[in-house]
Amino acid sequence: MDLVIRNARVIDGSGEDSYTADVGITDGRIAEIRTEGPRPTGARTLDADGLALAPGFIDMHAHSDLALLRDPDHSAKAAQGVTLEVLGQDGLSYAPVDDRTLAEVRKAITGWNGDGSDIDFDWRTVGEYLDRLDRQGIAVNAAYLIPQGTVRMYAVGWEDREATPQEMDRMRQLVAEGMEQGAVGMSSGLTYTPGMYAKDSELAELCKVVARYDGYYCPHHRSYGAGALQAYAEMVNLTREAGCALHLAHATMNFGVNKGKAPDLLSLLDGALDAGADISLDTYPYTPGCTTLVAMLPSWASEGGPEAILARLQDDETAEKIRHHMEVIGADGCHGVPIEWDTIEISGVSDPGLASCVGKTIQQSADMRGEEPWVTARRLLINDKLGSTILQHVGHEENVQLIMKHRVHTGGSDGILQGFKPHPRAYGTFPQYLGRYSRELGILSLEETVAHLTSRPAARLRLADRGLVREGYRADLVLFDPATVAAGSTFEAPRTLPVGIPHVLIDGRFVIEDGKRTDVLAGRSVRRTAA
């Protein structure tokens, strides 16, 4: 063997009881699992006494689309035991594009990934993007979802209107090409422009294309607030009619209107599952959400793209209409709930000169200036050219805990790595599940928790050789200490790495060894395989 891991407590990802074994690895795969008899030998031996050995964790909702290229270290995810991330989330990413669309999407999601001025965008198609990941070498593996908002931007533009038949054909073609080039499915951001302008009939047509390739649809649906339950039902019905598998992104029930309403969501999903629907979901183990400040605006104010948004904000009369819609009516960008400025904390800015805003709520900054919060928010949007990110403190712990126990739950960080003060979920989601929610609170057993983070997402991604500790499977593995594993990241120090995860392997190569990042770039694109 190349490597033998001795005396490990194997938590194999199935949810079954753990057991002690020696695990041998050869040529990047698990070659032998021995619980008794002669012990395997290898060129190298690692004594794992006291450590749990699990499949590498799969982050079902990641925003590392540029971070993987920008930061070869990528300890934010590697140190958590993540060996695979799913990119292209929330309907907005960087392929497929033409030159115009690329320029527009870079502006639109600067708050998620930076403006990309440090990146050589030498790709335009999904396949070329995945090729770039492979050619450069990346810290962890990556799969990709075709972003429906970007596809609409490419074929239709930023207008709030129905697509013409020719534009529909072009969108179908773009989705089919992306699937053929290796995408695992399609995402949407239905509170983000321009993807939110698509009606259900348009989305269903694109989902039919995804279904032909045995992919899945991953929507950030139309409301996580006032219309949350109806929005979930809309996605269930849409995908059932399209014959497409459904994976619900960051499946939460947020804002005051949804306190204690997780059972309503789970009842809806159970009914659909019992009727034969193919549904899964992901969550992060925290209560606040994270997005961009511009995402809070009503959709009509975002029509036309970033430059049109800025023009409206700079016009006093239009800006007052935006304020009224957000504070009194409840903008669709804020999920139909009138915005509460004391829940909106600035977590990052694109302009370092605005750093004094970071870590304060809009209400706090406004109070310091002696002005109304909309005045503060409007100024920040304009001066930061829409690049500000926020934490939105609107979640409910009882909802978080109940949803994570569901039979189709998986883990997803929704980790935005940009900003001076990012959400700690970017650096802490997976050890937070293992440490706080399994060991400390007992919400799930350790074996169940690992299954949620490994085999379940692997099954959704149709990965035949990942997600379990099995002979013949890829040696994407994590060794952690069940007694000490914990998220180091906090809201005060969000970039602190976790503890209790000394070793992480991808294809049998140490990405994390003795708690330190190696220089190994073992990650590659993980592409959809033929159905």
Side-chain angles (χ1 to χ4, degrees), residues 316-454:
D316 289 344
E317 184 177 349
T318 307
E320 172 56 23
K321 291 178 181 177
I322 294 172
R323 182 206 65 78
H324 181 78
H325 208 122
M326 294 177 72
E327 294 185 350
V328 179
I329 299 173
D332 45 8
C334 195
H335 308 278
V337 178
I339 197 162
E340 297 174 327
W341 294 111
D342 60 351
T343 69
I344 306 297
E345 177 187 352
I346 301 301
S347 60
V349 289
S350 294
D351 181 352
L354 299 169
S356 62
C357 299
V358 175
K360 302 182 183 70
T361 67
I362 294 290
Q363 187 68 60
Q364 288 170 332
S365 289
D367 289 345
M368 291 174 64
R369 289 175 171 270
E371 62 191 17
E372 291 300 311
W374 169 243
V375 176
T376 302
R378 179 188 177 192
R379 181 191 304 110
L380 182 58
L381 285 162
I382 293 170
N383 291 348
D384 205 27
K385 296 182 173 59
L386 313 180
S388 306
T389 52
I390 63 170
L391 302 182
Q392 194 169 16
H393 296 271
V394 292
H396 306 287
E397 181 66 21
E398 64 272 30
N399 286 347
V400 169
Q401 292 188 16
L402 194 59
I403 292 169
M404 75 170 61
K405 293 193 289 185
H406 195 265
R407 52 180 160 150
V408 298
H409 170 267
T410 67
S413 70
D414 196 11
I416 294 174
L417 300 169
Q418 283 294 116
F420 296 106
K421 192 174 179 285
H423 197 302
R425 68 193 185 192
Y427 285 72
T429 285
F430 295 86
Q432 181 84 337
Y433 270 118
L434 297 169
R436 174 168 170 73
Y437 285 93
S438 180
R439 182 183 65 242
E440 296 177 8
L441 298 180
I443 302 301
L444 294 164
S445 72
L446 192 56
E447 288 83 357
E448 289 174 317
T449 302
V450 169
H452 284 230
L453 307 180
T454 58

Side-chain angles (χ1 to χ4, degrees), residues 139-465:
V140 304
N141 297 309
Y144 190 75
L145 295 167
I146 301 163
Q148 170 262 330
T150 302
V151 167
R152 194 173 216 272
M153 196 187 307
Y154 192 145
V156 181
W158 289 85
E159 294 79 24
D160 183 2
R161 63 172 175 80
E162 291 189 36
T164 67
Q166 293 78 15
E167 290 165 342
M168 273 306 315
D169 287 343
R170 182 62 173 137
M171 286 191 284
R172 290 190 194 94
Q173 179 187 17
L174 290 168
V175 172
E177 289 173 351
M179 295 299 295
E180 288 169 2
Q181 292 163 10
V184 295
M186 181 180 75
S187 75
S188 282
L190 299 180
T191 65
Y192 301 131
T193 54
M196 69 190 310
Y197 298 141
K199 293 184 177 180
D200 285 2
S201 56
E202 179 179 314
L203 297 171
E205 286 300 308
L206 300 182
C207 283
K208 289 175 184 176
V209 178
V210 172
R212 288 206 306 267
Y213 294 92
D214 201 26
Y216 67 94
Y217 181 43
C218 179
H220 165 131
H221 52 267
R222 298 190 194 275
S223 176
Y224 290 82
L229 201 61
Q230 295 90 335
Y232 281 113
E234 176 189 7
M235 295 298 103
V236 170
N237 293 333
L238 186 157
T239 49
R240 180 175 57 212
E241 293 171 6
C244 186
L246 173 64
H247 180 84
L248 295 165
H250 37 59
T252 58
M253 293 290 283
N254 287 341
F255 301 92
V257 295
N258 288 316
K259 185 175 175 62
K261 289 190 176 180
D264 297 339
L265 167 60
L266 301 182
S267 177
L268 168 68
L269 299 182
D270 283 336
L273 288 162
D274 292 345
D278 184 358
I279 301 174
S280 54
L281 59 87
D282 66 67
T283 71
Y284 47 84
Y286 298 87
T287 53
C290 179
T291 186
T292 56
L293 181 58
V294 67
M296 298 291 101
L297 301 184
S299 57
W300 60 262
S302 298
E303 185 177 3
E307 295 305 320
I309 298 171
L310 287 167
R312 292 187 182 102
L313 288 168
Q314 289 164 340
D315 178 77
D316 289 344
E317 184 177 349
T318 307
E320 172 56 23
K321 291 178 181 177
I322 294 172
R323 182 206 65 78
H324 181 78
H325 208 122
M326 294 177 72
E327 294 185 350
V328 179
I329 299 173
D332 45 8
C334 195
H335 308 278
V337 178
I339 197 162
E340 297 174 327
W341 294 111
D342 60 351
T343 69
I344 306 297
E345 177 187 352
I346 301 301
S347 60
V349 289
S350 294
D351 181 352
L354 299 169
S356 62
C357 299
V358 175
K360 302 182 183 70
T361 67
I362 294 290
Q363 187 68 60
Q364 288 170 332
S365 289
D367 289 345
M368 291 174 64
R369 289 175 171 270
E371 62 191 17
E372 291 300 311
W374 169 243
V375 176
T376 302
R378 179 188 177 192
R379 181 191 304 110
L380 182 58
L381 285 162
I382 293 170
N383 291 348
D384 205 27
K385 296 182 173 59
L386 313 180
S388 306
T389 52
I390 63 170
L391 302 182
Q392 194 169 16
H393 296 271
V394 292
H396 306 287
E397 181 66 21
E398 64 272 30
N399 286 347
V400 169
Q401 292 188 16
L402 194 59
I403 292 169
M404 75 170 61
K405 293 193 289 185
H406 195 265
R407 52 180 160 150
V408 298
H409 170 267
T410 67
S413 70
D414 196 11
I416 294 174
L417 300 169
Q418 283 294 116
F420 296 106
K421 192 174 179 285
H423 197 302
R425 68 193 185 192
Y427 285 72
T429 285
F430 295 86
Q432 181 84 337
Y433 270 118
L434 297 169
R436 174 168 170 73
Y437 285 93
S438 180
R439 182 183 65 242
E440 296 177 8
L441 298 180
I443 302 301
L444 294 164
S445 72
L446 192 56
E447 288 83 357
E448 289 174 317
T449 302
V450 169
H452 284 230
L453 307 180
T454 58
S455 64
R456 288 189 185 177
R460 165 53 69 220
L461 295 168
R462 311 285 196 250
L463 302 178
D465 60 355

Side-chain angles (χ1 to χ4, degrees), residues 2-23:
D2 298 330
L3 171 68
V4 175
I5 302 172
R6 293 197 188 280
N7 306 312
R9 176 187 171 185
V10 177
I11 304 177
D12 67 5
S14 69
E16 299 298 321
D17 291 343
S18 60
Y19 59 90
T20 301
D22 294 348
V23 177

Side-chain angles (χ1 to χ4, degrees), residues 1-8 10 19-42 53 468-475 477:
M1 306 290 176
D2 298 330
L3 171 68
V4 175
I5 302 172
R6 293 197 188 280
N7 306 312
V10 177
Y19 59 90
T20 301
D22 294 348
V23 177
I25 297 168
T26 296
D27 294 332
R29 292 187 179 268
I30 299 170
E32 185 175 2
I33 302 172
R34 185 171 289 275
T35 58
E36 58 185 7
R39 308 188 85 168
T41 59
L53 175 68
L468 293 166
V469 179
R470 292 279 192 276
E471 291 181 359
Y473 275 55
R474 290 184 180 272
L477 301 167

